[in-house]
Each structure stands twice: as structure tokens, then as C-alpha cells.
Amino acid sequence: MIKAVAVDVDGTITDGKRRLCCSAIESIRAAEELGIPVIIVTGNILPVTKTLSIFIGTSGGLVAENGGVIESSRGRMVLGDIQKCQEAYEFLKTKQPIEKVDFSDQRVSEIAFYRTLPVNLIKDTLKDFDVKIYDTKFALHITDPAVDKGTSLVRVAGDMGILPEEILAVGDSENDLEFLKVAGLKVAVANAAPELKASADYVTQKPYGDGVKEALERFVL
Ligand SMILES: O=C(O)COP(=O)(O)O
Ligand SMILES: [Mg+2]
């Protein structure tokens, strides 16, 4: 039985231009009204995630910075080590022209920069560093491999008294692979990366927020 919903943000409850989809917001609110808490699981920084939670109206915990930061009833925790990401970033900057994304001064566990270069070039340049590179299709992230959205979701759900098997998770890109893996019901939206679709129990017919609405109507509402 599904007791909570966990949603990614960019490309899942937003469209391809990062604009929030009203259809996703309405279905999230409908789930909350039924007593199903919604957990936000994103690569965005915690202040953005918290703001989204307030204005959308979600009551579940928060997973930010690809699992590097969490917030639950037990408080906030930084789980990722920004130091190793910073070292990799400093090296990368000497080799390739890159620019950090907005609000980077508030990013505390990883580094995110604009997608101006192919991800394989970044991976190759940083192959000797102990970091993970994600291409979310909205930004590139240098993340501490000790954390991911999946392990952090398990922690936040535990604080809510919910088992991972009781969670319906929806995502769109490669930084959602670990996130979907831990959830009982794995949903990829129609615009999702092929590898995420391959790992999903259900791939929505519709893209972006309309896909979230489709999945929630099918399995929760
Ligand atoms: O921060 C990003 O690059 C994408 O964020 P997301 O994990 O919510 O899709
Ligand atoms: Mg996404």
C-alpha cells in the first residue's frame, strides 16, 4: 500500500523550461488532502526545496542537493562532503570553461554548474577524483559518491515512520536512478532518460507534470 509520494523537481513537476506544472501541483495537493504526505527529492539547494514545499503545500521530508542535504522532523543534516567536490571543481576549472548555477553560494554538499560541455568530457577530466558526476539535463553536478537521493530518501522516510516499499517515487533523469531503486513503486515520466524508464515499474504516457498527475491518479488518488 502506498503511504507516501516522493517527487523529483526539475523535469518531473516542472516542464523542460523549469516552469512548475499546475497539473502536478494540483495532484500533489490532492494526495496531501487524502493524508498521503509528499516528499520532495531534488538536486536543488535546501532553501529552494523548502520554498517549493511551502508554496506547493507538501508535508513530507525534504531531500536536497542529490541527497547531500536532508530535512525531516529530526531537523536538517548535511550528509555530503563538499570538500572533495570543491577539489574536483577547482581542477576542472583549470581544464574547462565552466560556470556555477544560481545560488551556488548556498550549496553546501556538492557543486552544480551549467551544461555547457558534454558530460563525458567532464567525467573523463575528473576520472581520478572520488566524485560522482550527474547530468540532470538541467545542470551538471559534482556530488560526493557517499550520498545519493535513494539513501537520503530512506532516512527521511524513516523519520516519517514510512517504509521505502510504501513510497511511490517519480523522476525524470539519471540522478533519480538510486531514488527510484529504493521505492516500492517506481515511476518515470514520459520525458525521462531511457535508463530511468528501463528501471521503472510504470512509465507515464504524458510528460512532465501531466505525467505526475497521471501516475498519482492511477495509483494514489
Ligand atoms: O538540480 C538539478 O540539476 C535538477 O534537479 P532535480 O533533481 O529536481 O531534477
Ligand atoms: Mg529531474
Side-chain angles (χ1 to χ4, degrees):
M1 190 187 150
I2 298 301
K3 290 197 184 158
V5 168
V7 292
D8 169 61
V9 175
D10 296 52
T12 301
I13 63 167
T14 79
D15 65 14
K17 293 182 176 167
R18 288 192 91 195
R19 298 174 300 193
L20 281 170
C21 300
C22 300
S23 50
I25 294 173
E26 279 161 14
S27 56
I28 286 170
R29 289 181 182 153
E32 286 279 351
E33 267 157 35
L34 277 180
I36 310 255
V38 177
I39 305 165
I40 301 178
V41 182
T42 179
N44 286 278
I45 57 169
L46 186 65
V48 168
T49 312
K50 180 89 183 173
T51 304
L52 284 168
S53 166
I54 292 167
F55 288 101
I56 295 172
T58 66
S59 67
L62 306 174
V63 175
E65 298 195 20
N66 288 310
V69 183
I70 57 173
E71 184 178 291
S72 70
S73 53
R74 290 159 71 96
R76 284 179 197 170
M77 279 178 83
V78 177
L79 303 171
D81 174 9
I82 198 169
Q83 196 53 42
K84 49 173 123 162
C85 305
Q86 187 65 37
E87 280 162 24
Y89 177 76
E90 295 299 336
F91 177 77
L92 184 61
K93 239 179 23 179
T94 66
K95 306 278 175 202
Q96 311 291 352
I98 45 171
E99 192 194 339
K100 286 184 183 175
V101 299
D102 286 352
F103 304 128
S104 281
D105 54 329
Q106 295 178 62
R107 201 168 275 275
V108 294
S109 74
E110 56 150 33
I111 310 273
F113 50 100
Y114 292 111
R115 293 176 78 238
T116 51
L117 294 165
V119 65
N120 284 340
L121 179 64
I122 308 290
K123 284 184 177 164
D124 191 52
T125 310
L126 296 181
K127 62 181 182 317
D128 296 328
F129 287 82
D130 179 29
V131 292
K132 191 165 49 182
I133 313 297
Y134 285 126
D135 180 4
T136 69
K137 305 294 179 207
F138 292 86
L140 297 171
H141 296 246
I142 302 176
T143 305
D144 178 357
V147 297
D148 60 56
K149 285 186 175 187
T151 49
S152 291
L153 173 63
V154 172
R155 285 179 82 136
V156 161
D159 294 345
M160 295 165 65
I162 286 170
L163 298 169
E165 307 88 270
E166 296 169 327
I167 297 175
L168 180 161
V170 199
D172 76 304
S173 83
E174 66 173 31
N175 64 331
D176 299 318
L177 276 167
E178 296 98 344
F179 161 39
L180 258 57
K181 199 167 168 187
V182 301
L185 185 52
K186 311 166 205 315
V187 178
V189 282
N191 54 290
E195 66 265 42
L196 194 74
K197 286 184 178 175
S199 79
D201 300 314
Y202 181 72
V203 178
T204 64
Q205 303 270 317
K206 294 188 178 146
Y208 304 112
D210 290 349
V212 174
K213 180 177 182 216
E214 177 188 325
L216 295 200
E217 283 180 347
R218 187 178 176 117
F219 298 111
V220 176
L221 301 176

